[in-house]
């Protein structure tokens, strides 16, 4: 049985209520001045911590640029490719032993050697610390790690798991310097010692992260700039103003649909702003906590699923920057189906009433829906207002709304305090497993135990034996059907990705990896204008 415990906002978070607006904007010139060849990027997704052992959330966007992984996803790749490793492969037919050979001469930014022992230390500490907000759950199939020589790492798995290379290609598997990162506790000094394309030269929590080129870096990233400054905003309006005012070179994550639409207007173009649209795998969904006596009734969850009008949410709140989603596996990912539409069809209050009355529920159901005010963007409050309107107007529900800043919100849902709450999900890796497995288990990504035996004990294990990931489609289709019948999670919409950049910046269309983290090294100033 695979157990996950993740706080990945999901959603990464990738962006419509958190509409992922990635943007490069150049303040570069061609005069050769190093300071002029930096990129400044704005975001509303500040890291929760700088230690990879303690974060399974939007912090990954920084990690991707300052830490290295054995494997990674170069632009355009949906399968992990070597990065710190020279090569990796399963060494048995059962997919239970995975061997990586490291590149020679690897070093961390402080000069410490990056060898097999450093890899073992980096990944063992994640499981040892087992931080409540950390990515330990992604390594649940891992039994032990061996380092037989300086360049060889062997991973022994408890059960067959063809998705394990994808985990190694995610920022969850970030490599850290053993002398700087204790084996049994989280580093607290807001510093980073990694081996990624950039080094963190300074950091102000909630303010900015200044990245410089890591001159000892050896990996696949071809850096197109001399460094990046990431500015953290709490207000998307101020971030937009900074982009238009040439104070920042890029914006991503946290912009509302209206703000994206505004950036696409001729007026914004006249101010030197461009917008690049990408296919996205971000999803947004509601979570139902069965510890609440009302939510514990399947009929209540099913009736909500029968009333919710996804089309209205998308058109009124997201203005076409998202599309309705009827499964936890989004369109564009292998195995996507529409079980929530197949079972519940179009919104229908009369059908919802029959579901409730058949269960003996004749009184209006009162519930409180919770959402985060500062993680997924300015549209989140509007989205929940629309959800409340739909459910209240059905005359079957009375909905109260409560918003909390991310850190408080995160603590609340992890402690089981919220009966219904909204979350976003950005993929750890591009595989249907990552839209099913994190949400099941006693400890899972949303903090509410959900243990469907067939998914955990049959469907996921069977699918993970398949090296050809498309061969597990039937298992994922069946898992989605179980999700739709139980309605422990209710998918709402799937977002597109947007990169907003000033017109003298190139590379914005290449800047997102499959985890929707910004690959800062792809952004560059055009050599002529």
């Amino acid at each position: 049985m695979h157990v996950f415990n993740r706080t990945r906002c999901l959603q990464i978070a990738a962006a419509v209520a958190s509409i992922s607006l990635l943007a490069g904007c150049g303040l570069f010139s061609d005069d050769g001045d190093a300071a002029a060849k930096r990129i400044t990027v704005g975001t509303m997704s500040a890291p929760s911590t700088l230690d990879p052992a303690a974060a399974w959330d939007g912090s990954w966007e920084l990690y991707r640029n300052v830490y290295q992984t054995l494997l990674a996803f170069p632009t355009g790749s949906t399968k992990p490719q070597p990065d710190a490793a020279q090569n990796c492969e399963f060494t048995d037919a059962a997919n239970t032993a995975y061997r990586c050979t490291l590149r020679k001469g690897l070093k961390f930014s402080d000069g410490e050697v990056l060898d097999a022992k450093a890899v073992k230390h980096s990944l063992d500490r994640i499981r040892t610390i087992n931080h409540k907000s950390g990515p330990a759950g992604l390594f649940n199939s891992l039994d032990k790690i061996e380092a037989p020589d300086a360049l060889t790492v062997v991973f022994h798995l408890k059960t067959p798991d063809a998705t394990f290379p994808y985990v190694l290609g995610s920022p969850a598997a970030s490599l850290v310097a053993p002398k700087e990162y204790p084996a049994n506790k989280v580093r607290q000094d807001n510093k980073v010692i990694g081996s990624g394309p950039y080094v963190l030269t300074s950091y102000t929590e909630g303010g900015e992260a200044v990245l410089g080129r890591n001159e000892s870096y050896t990996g696949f990233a071809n850096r197109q700039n001399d460094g990046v400054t990431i500015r953290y905003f709490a207000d998307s309006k101020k971030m937009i103003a900074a982009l238009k005012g040439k104070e920042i070179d890029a914006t991503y994550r946290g912009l509302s649909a209206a703000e994206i639409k505004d950036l696409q207007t001729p007026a914004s173009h006249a101010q030197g702003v461009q917008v690049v649209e990408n296919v996205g795998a971000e999803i947004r969904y509601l979570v139902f906590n069965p510890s609440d006596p009302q939510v514990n009734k399947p009929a209540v969850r099913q009736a909500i699923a029968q009333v919710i009008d996804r089309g209205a949410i998308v058109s009124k709140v997201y203005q076409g920057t998202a599309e309705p989603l009827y499964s936890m596996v989004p369109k564009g990912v292998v195995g996507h189906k529409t079980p929530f539409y197949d079972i519940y069809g179009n919104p229908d209050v009369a059908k919802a009433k029959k579901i409730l009355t058949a269960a003996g529920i004749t009184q209006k159901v009162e519930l409180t829906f919770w959402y985060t005010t500062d993680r997924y963007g300015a549209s989140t409050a509007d989205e929940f207002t629309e959800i409340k309107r739909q459910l209240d107007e059905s005359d079957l529900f009375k909905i109260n709304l409560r918003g909390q800043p991310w850190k408080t919100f995160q603590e609340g849902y992890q402690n089981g305090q919220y009966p219904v709450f909204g979350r976003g999900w950005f993929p750890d890796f591009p595989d249907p497993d990552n839209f099913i497995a994190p949400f099941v288990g006693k400890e899972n990504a949303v903090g509410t135990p959900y243990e469907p035996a067939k998914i955990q004990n049959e469907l996921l294990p069977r699918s993970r034996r398949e090296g050809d990931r498309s061969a597990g489609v039937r298992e994922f289709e069946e898992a989605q059907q179980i999700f739709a019948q139980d309605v422990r999670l209710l998918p709402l919409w799937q977002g597109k990705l947007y990169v907003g950049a000033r017109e003298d910046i190139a590379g914005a269309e290449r800047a997102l990896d499959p985890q929707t983290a910004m690959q800062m090294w792809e952004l560059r100033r055009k050599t002529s204008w």
Side-chain angles (χ1 to χ4, degrees), residues 114-377:
L114 198 176
D115 57 11
K117 289 183 178 179
V119 173
K120 176 176 167 57
H121 172 86
S122 298
L123 303 186
D124 276 346
R125 71 185 293 269
I126 292 172
R127 298 189 299 153
T128 298
I129 294 172
N130 195 25
H131 194 280
K132 190 172 185 178
S133 299
L138 280 171
F139 297 93
N140 199 61
S141 65
L142 179 59
D143 182 20
K144 62 179 180 179
I145 306 172
E146 293 180 336
D149 59 58
L151 296 179
T152 305
V153 185
V154 181
F155 301 93
H156 296 279
L157 308 182
K158 302 172 187 175
T159 57
D161 187 0
T163 71
F164 188 71
Y166 292 79
V167 176
L168 293 182
S170 76
S174 295
L175 304 177
V176 299
K179 291 181 181 178
E180 298 288 339
Y181 290 80
N184 59 359
K185 62 181 180 180
V186 174
R187 184 173 178 167
Q188 301 286 355
D189 61 1
N190 277 344
K191 294 182 179 179
V192 166
I193 302 297
S195 58
Y198 299 100
V199 293
L200 183 67
T201 58
S202 68
Y203 178 74
T204 304
E205 186 172 352
E208 67 177 21
V210 180
L211 312 184
R213 288 171 69 101
N214 179 4
E215 299 304 333
S216 63
Y217 169 71
T218 302
F220 75 88
N222 181 16
R223 291 163 296 193
Q224 301 292 313
N225 55 63
D226 285 345
V228 179
T229 298
I230 305 173
R231 285 181 56 189
Y232 300 113
F233 289 81
D235 186 331
S236 61
K237 292 180 181 178
K238 292 181 179 179
M239 188 161 65
I240 285 287
L243 176 64
K244 291 183 175 181
K246 301 183 181 181
E247 298 173 22
I248 60 176
D249 300 320
T251 62
Y252 70 108
R253 293 214 189 285
L255 301 184
S256 70
E259 288 165 338
I260 288 174
K261 289 293 186 181
D262 173 69
L263 290 177
Q264 294 173 325
T265 63
S268 290
H269 294 166
Q271 292 176 288
V273 177
Q274 60 175 320
V275 178
V276 178
E277 180 179 315
N278 295 275
V279 176
E282 176 203 14
I283 67 172
R284 198 59 48 81
Y285 56 95
L286 293 176
V287 182
F288 296 97
N289 184 352
S291 65
D292 180 88
Q294 295 280 42
V295 174
N296 188 46
K297 301 170 184 175
V300 169
R301 307 193 299 266
Q302 292 165 356
I304 291 173
Q306 187 65 71
V307 171
I308 290 290
D309 187 341
R310 295 168 175 81
I313 294 172
V314 167
S315 63
K316 292 181 179 181
V317 180
Y318 295 111
Q319 305 176 36
T321 56
E323 57 184 311
L325 180 64
Y326 297 93
S327 172
M328 292 298 289
V329 178
K331 182 191 296 185
V333 176
V334 172
H336 166 74
K337 288 291 183 180
T338 58
F340 281 87
Y341 186 83
D342 299 339
I343 293 175
Y344 302 101
N346 292 318
D348 192 318
V349 173
K351 288 183 179 178
K353 186 174 183 178
K354 287 182 180 180
I355 292 172
L356 292 172
T357 55
I361 302 171
T362 57
Q363 299 296 316
K364 190 177 293 188
V365 178
E366 184 170 1
L367 293 168
T368 299
F369 282 36
W370 293 77
Y371 64 92
T372 178
T373 57
D374 60 353
R375 193 64 173 183
Y376 303 132

Side-chain angles (χ1 to χ4, degrees), residues 70 84-86 100-104 106 114-116 119 150-151 153:
L70 289 172
Q86 179 176 312
C100 289
T101 302
L102 300 181
R103 295 176 186 261
K104 294 181 180 179
L106 291 175
L114 198 176
D115 57 11
V119 173
L151 296 179
V153 185

